[in-house]
């Protein structure tokens, strides 16, 4: 069962106590049932792919009933959602996911030129990537790696919940090498508006050393006012403290 897998994943990838793992596992099931009952989601969180989950998390975190329950539960429910998303991302086959999304967009009613632009942005090609390359001088903002094959045009606000405009908005992007993109996409690192790096406790100090990153670091994000809303979303919704 997916909940058993989630439980085992938390035990292997976090320092949560067994009692906390149990609470998070059951919190996900409770959230799923509650949100389906009031019509916020139309299928179980346990049966969603990552794109569906990103949309669901976005909506759930803004639902008054959830907010009230989450406050009473000392934010256990929002934390369990973040954990479950990170677990789901770990299980994702990225290439297959991108092909599925590209197929869905191709079938949509959007104009052909817009379809092509959005698909290219998703798979890291086209104008979106080129503009990020220009903005960051073709270097990872964290490592300065400049091999273009290793650089990813990383969306700050997840693809699934973006409008079509946001999906190709350069303000919604960072240029990162593959491992840093994975950390950022998983919610294991994030930045404040001054470029200060925040690191999730789930990464672990040994891995911080191996990756040569630390919470005393800051980076030049070439911050603009347009980026602030996207980074705020990433800190509030995706970053797992």
């Amino acid at each position: 069962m997916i909940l058993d897998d989630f439980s085992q994943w938390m035990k292997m990838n976090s320092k949560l106590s067994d009692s906390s793992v149990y609470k998070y596992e059951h919190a996900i099931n409770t959230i799923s049932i509650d949100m389906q009952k009031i019509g916020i989601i139309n299928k179980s969180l346990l049966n969603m792919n990552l794109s569906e989950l990103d949309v669901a998390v976005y909506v759930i975190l803004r639902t008054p009933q959830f907010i009230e329950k989450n406050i009473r539960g000392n934010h256990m429910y929002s934390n369990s959602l973040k954990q479950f998303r990170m677990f789901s991302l770990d299980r994702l086959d990225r290439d297959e996911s991108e092909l599925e999304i590209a197929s869905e967009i191709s079938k949509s009613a959007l104009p052909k030129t817009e379809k092509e632009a959005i698909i290219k942005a998703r798979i890291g090609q086209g104008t979106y990537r080129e503009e990020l390359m220009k903005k960051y001088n073709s270097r990872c903002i964290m490592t300065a790696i400049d091999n273009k094959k290793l650089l990813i045009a990383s969306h700050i606000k997840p693809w699934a919940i973006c409008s079509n405009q946001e999906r190709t908005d350069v303000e919604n992007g960072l240029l990162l090498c593959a491992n840093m993109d994975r950390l950022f996409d998983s919610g294991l690192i994030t930045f404040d508006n001054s470029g200060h790096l925040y690191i999730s406790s789930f990464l672990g100090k040994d891995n911080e050393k191996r990756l040569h990153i630390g919470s005393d670091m800051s980076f030049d994000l070439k911050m603009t006012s347009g980026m602030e809303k996207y980074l705020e979303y990433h800190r509030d919704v995706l970053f797992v403290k």
Side-chain angles (χ1 to χ4, degrees):
M1 287 180 59
I2 188 81
L3 284 176
D4 291 335
D5 292 343
F6 179 42
S7 177
Q8 288 302 313
W9 178 88
M10 285 189 286
K11 290 178 181 179
M12 293 176 61
N13 292 278
S14 77
K15 295 181 180 179
L16 291 171
S17 66
D18 287 347
S19 62
S20 293
V21 167
Y22 177 83
K23 289 176 182 176
Y24 279 30
E25 176 188 345
H26 284 265
I28 284 296
N29 199 43
T30 298
I31 295 165
S32 184
I33 293 170
D34 288 352
M35 293 298 104
Q36 285 182 88
K37 282 182 178 178
I38 62 175
I40 299 301
I41 56 177
N42 57 16
K43 65 189 288 189
S44 170
L45 294 171
L46 309 182
N47 296 326
M48 292 183 179
N49 61 37
L50 184 64
S51 295
E52 292 172 328
L53 187 61
D54 275 340
V55 174
V57 170
Y58 178 79
V59 175
I60 289 170
L61 289 176
R62 284 156 177 76
T63 301
Q65 295 94 320
F66 175 84
I67 292 171
E68 182 181 347
K69 187 182 187 75
N70 193 41
I71 291 172
R72 291 200 311 268
N74 197 27
H75 302 286
M76 177 186 71
Y77 294 99
S78 58
N79 287 333
S80 66
L81 275 175
K82 292 180 182 182
Q83 299 278 351
F84 190 71
R85 181 189 182 272
M86 189 158 55
F87 158 73
S88 299
L89 185 62
D90 268 3
R91 301 173 76 235
L92 172 72
D93 184 322
R94 184 168 185 154
D95 292 336
E96 288 185 9
S97 175
E98 288 176 347
L99 288 172
E100 289 173 2
I101 291 170
S103 176
E104 289 175 10
I105 294 169
S106 296
K107 296 174 184 176
S108 72
L110 292 170
K112 181 180 178 181
T113 53
E114 190 171 350
K115 288 181 188 178
E116 291 174 352
I118 293 170
I119 291 171
K120 285 180 179 179
R122 175 61 185 180
I123 63 175
Q125 305 296 328
T127 303
Y128 177 75
R129 177 178 168 85
E130 290 171 6
E131 290 300 315
L132 281 174
M133 286 286 190
K134 290 177 185 177
K135 180 175 181 178
Y136 294 111
N137 197 27
S138 299
R139 291 177 181 272
C140 168
I141 62 171
M142 295 181 67
T143 65
I145 285 174
D146 61 1
N147 186 320
K148 293 183 179 181
K149 292 182 179 179
L150 303 177
L151 297 176
I152 295 174
S154 184
H155 283 84
I156 301 171
K157 183 178 179 181
W159 174 267
I161 61 167
C162 286
S163 66
N164 290 333
Q165 182 274 328
E166 289 172 331
R167 287 170 172 167
T168 54
D169 184 2
V170 177
E171 304 285 11
N172 187 25
L174 295 172
L175 194 64
L176 297 167
C177 62
N179 55 349
M180 297 303 161
D181 168 72
R182 185 69 175 188
L183 290 173
F184 186 72
D185 202 26
S186 300
L188 289 171
I189 61 172
T190 195
F191 306 93
D192 67 16
N193 290 346
S194 65
H196 180 80
L197 178 67
Y198 290 88
I199 303 174
S200 169
S201 60
F202 278 77
L203 182 58
K205 293 298 181 182
D206 287 342
N207 284 325
E208 287 183 31
K209 292 176 183 177
R210 293 174 185 128
L211 289 162
H212 304 290
I213 59 175
S215 56
D216 59 340
M217 291 181 168
S218 293
F219 301 94
D220 182 9
L221 306 185
K222 301 191 182 301
M223 178 60 63
T224 63
S225 58
M227 289 177 66
E228 291 180 357
K229 64 176 182 179
Y230 295 120
L231 278 173
E232 181 180 1
Y233 178 90
H234 192 274
R235 290 192 299 269
D236 290 349
V237 177
L238 301 182
F239 180 60
V240 184
K241 294 180 180 179

